[in-house]
Each structure stands twice: as C-alpha cells, then as structure tokens.
Amino acid sequence: MPETSSTAAPDIRAGRLSAAQYAQHFADATPPMNASQAMLESERCLYCFDAPCQTACPTDIDVPSFIKSISDGNLRGAARTILEANPLGGMCARVCPTEVLCEQSCVRNTQTDTPIQIGRLQRHAVDALMASSKPQLFTREAPTGKRIAVVGSGPAGLACAHRLARLGNDVVIFDAQPKAGGLNEYGLASYKTTDDFAQKEVQWLLDIGGISIQNGWRFEGAASLDKLQAEFDAVFLGLGLSKVQALGVPGEDLAGVRNAVDFIAELRQIEHVSQLPIGHNVVVIGGGMTAVDAAVQAKLLGAKVVHMVYRRGVETMGASAAEQEWAQTNGVVLHQWMAPVEILGANGHATGVRFAQQALVNGQMQPTGRELTWPADMVFKAIGQKLDDNPLQAIGLTLQGGRIVTAEDGKTNLKGVWAGGDCRAGGRDLTVEAVEHGKRAAESMHKELNLEATHG
C-alpha cells in the first residue's frame, strides 16, 4: 500500500516574503574576497611545477601563475593569464564545480589541509579587471577577410567568437533569445550571477570588436545552414540543448507542473524576484545542478516545503556534493531511490506526486513495492535536456546519443561546419568545457580557412 501525505488546495502566490528577506535570500551566494583575503589565500599556494590544478582545468588556465600574480599585487596580470585561456573566466569562477576540478587536484589536499580557493581567487582577479578603467586586455590581429557564422550565444559560441575575432576574423552570432549568454543568462540560479554579471561579461567579449549579434534567429535545419554557408566562410554550431526530457507519467500536463529550466529563466529575467509566484509545497524531480537551482530558489522564494527527488543513489547524482550540501543548507529535503509514478491532481491542478521506491537488482533498477506520496501544488521537472535533433538529421550531421559527433577540434562530418558545447557528443555539460570547445573550434577554423586562402 502506498504511504500518503495529506493534500490541500493549491497555494501559489507571489510576495510571500518581506523585501528584506528577498534581498537577503537572493544576495551573492559566495561573496567576493576582499584584497586582504585574496592576498592571504594566494600566499598559501605552493606554486607547483607541472601543477595538477592546471591539468584538471578543462581550459588549461595556468593556475599557479595567476595566483602568484595576485600575491604580487598584479591583479591585471592575473586576469590576463586567466582570460587568455578562458575568456569567460569570470562566470566560470562563479558557477563551475571547482571543488571537483582544480581544487580537488590541489596538492594541499594531500597534506591534510584545505585546498586553495582557486575559484574565488579567479573571480577576484577578473572582477578587479572588469571594474577597472581599462578592462579590455586584447587587441585584434590583422584582418583575414574571413567571415564566420556562430549559431548560439552560450559559452561555446561566445568563446569561439572571441577567439576568432582576436585572430582577425569577422563573426556574426545568431541566437534565438533576446539576450546573448545562453545558459549563463537564462539557465543559472540568480544567487550565482548577481549584478547582471552575465551581460557585463558579454559586453566585455564584444568590446574586442569584429563581433555582431543577431537576436531572434532560430536554426531550422537545411534551409538555415544553406543560407549561412552561402554567406559565410565557415559555421560553428553551439546550439545547446533546447528540449526538456519528459517524465512520461500520468498528470504531467496538469497546471502547476513546469520545466525547471523555464522557472529558472523566468526568475532570472523578472524585474523583481518578489513578483514570481511560488507554491506552498514544491517537488523537484531530478538530481542535477538544474534541480538544485530550482529547488533552492523555490525555498528562497518562500515555499514552505521543498522535496528534491532522484531515482538513483547519491553517488550518481549530477549535482556535486557541494551543490547537494547547499540545497540541504537552504532547507531542501533530498531523497534518493524514488521514481515518479504519477502526478496527482484535482480540478486540473497538481496536488501531489506519487513515487515508487527503487532498488538495484542484478544491476537493474526495480520497484520494491513501497510507494510514497508528497503533496505538491508545484512540480518542477529537471531530469535532463536534449538536443532537437530532427533538423540536424535532415542536414546529414552524424549524431551519437542525440548529440553531434565531432573531432577533438570540433569539426563535424560536414565540410565547413564545426560544433561544440552541450550539443556535442561526449561532453560533461560544464560551462568551462563548452568554453574549451569554442576555443579549439575557433583555432581549427582559423587555421583551415587561412590554409585554404594560402593554397588558393
């Protein structure tokens, strides 16, 4: 027999908290270091030769070098080292799981010590540059006469465009949204990207020159690609993942059931967070960072009870241990080994979610026979996103697992077409990895186009 909890009429409304509470809840989750803190932390670094922290960074930032610059009081030099390798180093410092990348590799960990706070030091240096009177560090090389189309203004597309522009190429970015930035603008929790930092970073990237953005443009397959290839010398596809996975359970279409990514995007774009309605009882289905962002923000908006429910064990959750701890610190109740069976409703609106407990039997997930129901007037789906692969199959791109297959440098099987970011097969869906995809593709495109010009 299923275990049930009482349900009540949906209670979804805005303005649950005072202005002071909203301001406190949506302040910067990790306040920036001040000058003294940064100096003290930088002096803890051992400046390792062949540093494992640098090897662990997908963009190969020379971590010891930039930390040494901070300890020397040279913040501009530190920022140059960071941004030379990662032009979105400011955002990556805020949102990347440094605790499982560079900081996990810090040799301080082997000395029963705490690792260097690399992410916070990186942010300190980049923020200092952005606040300076001359934030632009780079100049463009001589014009090549080449024009490249970049589809998508997320981290991969922006990094690709910036590197191409630095190398003397002209770039047009095409994007469906009214603002550039992709997930940095629309897909991250508000408390991670305060003070409109995503747009400040985009503006810094564009200030190098040679890059223009055409918003409100959607990639629609063969016709779109044909038009781009007729007008440009090469095309980079940084399409991201535009479709949300369905739960496939009864009640999914009830009012009050939303995609977590849409909720996060709306919260990022709303004039004031107090204007966004939230339920009294919220259930978030999923185990990744999107699920954590949705669950924590629901609680910060004033939801009384928030459950985050994942169908497998904690060791396979996409959210890092630090993200899980952050959710629990903010009052989110985490559950594992529970798969959704049905979203319950009354009068067309969600009132609860029924889950079946799971167990691994011979390597396969199977229900144990125990069921549990939690009340919910809002349900957020966060079980992953996928690529809209129909238009890509139509143009002949090789796909694997619904994503684009590329070489290491981003080249696809179609001549003159590169791809990177979350739409590329084999990645980890990390901002910093998408940046590296964009960089490598830009260098490959520049090299190939200029070799063709030389041979011509």
Side-chain angles (χ1 to χ4, degrees), residues 6 10 28 60 83 117-118 138 169 250 278 291 300 372 405 433-434:
S6 60
D28 204 327
D60 197 36
L83 297 170
Q117 297 180 63
I118 298 170
F138 306 110
N169 305 285
I278 195 67
L300 296 179
L372 197 65
V405 175
E433 188 175 66

Side-chain angles (χ1 to χ4, degrees), residues 248-385:
V249 301
E252 193 168 358
D253 296 329
L254 288 167
V257 181
R258 299 192 62 184
N259 294 326
V261 292
D262 295 339
F263 166 68
I264 292 168
E266 185 177 358
L267 189 53
R268 281 290 300 276
Q269 300 307 310
I270 202 165
E271 185 176 355
H272 195 279
V273 293
S274 63
Q275 300 169 338
L276 189 63
I278 195 67
H280 183 85
N281 295 297
V282 176
V283 171
V284 180
I285 302 173
M289 284 188 280
T290 297
V292 169
D293 283 355
V296 170
Q297 290 188 116
K299 200 76 173 71
L300 296 179
L301 284 170
K304 186 68 175 178
V305 180
V306 179
H307 295 281
M308 179 175 148
V309 191
Y310 179 56
R311 66 193 181 100
R312 292 184 180 272
V314 65
E315 65 280 353
T316 61
M317 289 180 73
S320 66
E323 288 279 336
Q324 294 175 47
E325 183 180 351
W326 170 251
Q328 293 173 311
T329 300
N330 282 278
V332 176
V333 185
L334 269 57
H335 308 269
Q336 289 83 32
W337 298 111
M338 302 295 292
V341 175
E342 179 185 9
I343 299 175
L344 308 174
N347 301 318
H349 201 289
T351 58
V353 187
R354 182 162 59 92
F355 291 91
Q357 186 180 58
Q358 306 293 301
L360 274 181
V361 179
N362 298 322
Q364 299 293 320
M365 276 208 320
Q366 293 185 9
T368 65
R370 178 182 179 232
E371 292 188 348
L372 197 65
T373 299
W374 284 295
D377 40 28
M378 290 191 81
V379 180
F380 293 124
K381 300 181 289 183
I383 60 170
Q385 294 169 261

